[in-house]
Amino acid sequence: MPTIAEAQPFPFAFDARRTALIVIDMQRDFIEPGGFGAALGNDVAPLARIVPTTAALLHACRAAALPIVHTRECHRPDLSDCPPAKRDRGAPNLRIGDDGPMGRILISGEPGAEIVPALAPHQGEYVIDKPGKGAFYATDLGLYLERLQIRTLIFAGVTTEVCVQTTMREANDRGFDCLLAEDATESYFPEFKSATLAMIRAQGAIVGWTATTRQIAEALKE
Ligand code: TIU
């Protein structure tokens, strides 16, 4: 069984035949200027820096024939799945559904909702559009993983403390062992990223483990 000896807070052993990769929301709306992330007042440059690492993680997981799930946070064009409590938050210059330089902000089918080209899903990989922060909420992700008898999830994507952490916690409650690729996730706030990694690992991996992309790729070769 592959083991990542250097994983934190302690070594992580997993059955690769029961493991899937979940890449959270690596969309133009969060990573490129003019999207939802920028409209919320964030500097998006730090998020773009993890694209090469995430590509390397995808490459390693594809080589090991792991099932791959890509999520996209976006809403129906009529906003029927976007509660006012979400659309009204913050003081953005553009709100969800408004017209922006990459089409309507965070709307399914618009250019901004697409995954960045360097991380584009391959044929046969599962793409889930999700209206919430957690990828299990109002989607068939749980059903898909159950059908494949998946027990362990490797996570990457953005942002660490919002959609990645929420989905890891949802997965943890559903009985999955969770591993976060610490250099293939990023936040608009460096202190939130480091706090999230610490929270996940604390209390004996209360939410899960963390490891680097290189450590994960090495283990997948075992
Ligand atoms: N704002 C922020 O940090 N994140 C989100 O709104 N969504 C995701 O994390 N995908």
Side-chain angles (χ1 to χ4, degrees):
M1 196 177 277
T3 302
I4 304 174
E6 312 93 327
Q8 295 189 59
F10 49 81
F12 182 76
F14 62 102
D15 179 351
R17 292 163 308 176
R18 296 282 191 94
T19 300
L21 171 68
I22 303 194
V23 182
I24 305 274
D25 301 354
M26 290 298 284
Q27 296 160 259
R28 299 182 65 200
D29 257 327
F30 292 105
I31 293 167
E32 296 185 16
F36 183 58
L40 291 172
N42 298 304
D43 171 13
V44 296
L47 270 55
R49 284 186 218 120
I50 63 153
V51 170
T53 344
T54 310
L57 183 66
L58 272 164
H59 179 75
C61 292
R62 285 170 180 148
L66 264 53
I68 298 187
V69 177
H70 304 258
T71 69
R72 301 185 295 203
E73 181 177 351
C74 54
H75 294 276
R76 295 183 192 138
D78 65 2
L79 296 178
S80 57
D81 60 353
C82 182
K86 180 172 182 181
R87 185 168 144 81
D88 295 346
R89 287 288 71 76
N93 50 25
L94 290 171
R95 291 187 187 276
I96 296 169
D98 290 349
D99 277 316
M102 293 188 285
R104 292 181 68 201
I105 299 280
L106 227 58
I107 297 296
S108 170
E110 298 286 338
E114 294 302 325
I115 291 167
V116 294
L119 306 177
H122 284 191
Q123 185 83 26
E125 295 176 356
Y126 203 53
V127 180
I128 291 185
D129 286 350
K130 63 182 187 56
K133 296 175 178 66
F136 287 85
Y137 170 69
T139 73
D140 64 0
L141 176 59
L143 203 59
Y144 175 77
L145 298 174
E146 192 182 313
R147 204 179 302 132
L148 296 180
Q149 299 187 304
I150 297 297
R151 303 297 320 138
T152 300
L153 298 173
I154 301 172
F155 285 93
V158 297
T159 61
T160 315
E161 81 281 13
V162 182
C163 291
V164 176
Q165 178 170 218
T166 301
T167 305
M168 281 188 80
R169 289 176 181 277
E170 286 183 321
N172 176 251
D173 280 346
R174 285 165 173 78
F176 294 95
D177 282 328
C178 298
L179 174 70
L180 175 58
E182 59 194 51
D183 51 359
T185 184
E186 195 49 86
S187 169
Y188 298 120
F189 304 88
E191 68 275 27
F192 289 173
K193 175 177 177 178
S194 53
T196 301
L197 296 181
M199 275 183 235
I200 285 166
R201 304 168 181 139
Q203 305 182 70
I206 193 156
V207 176
W209 286 253
T210 71
T212 65
T213 292
R214 187 188 56 75
Q215 290 162 353
I216 297 167
E218 286 302 314
L220 286 170
K221 288 184 195 152
E222 285 176 24

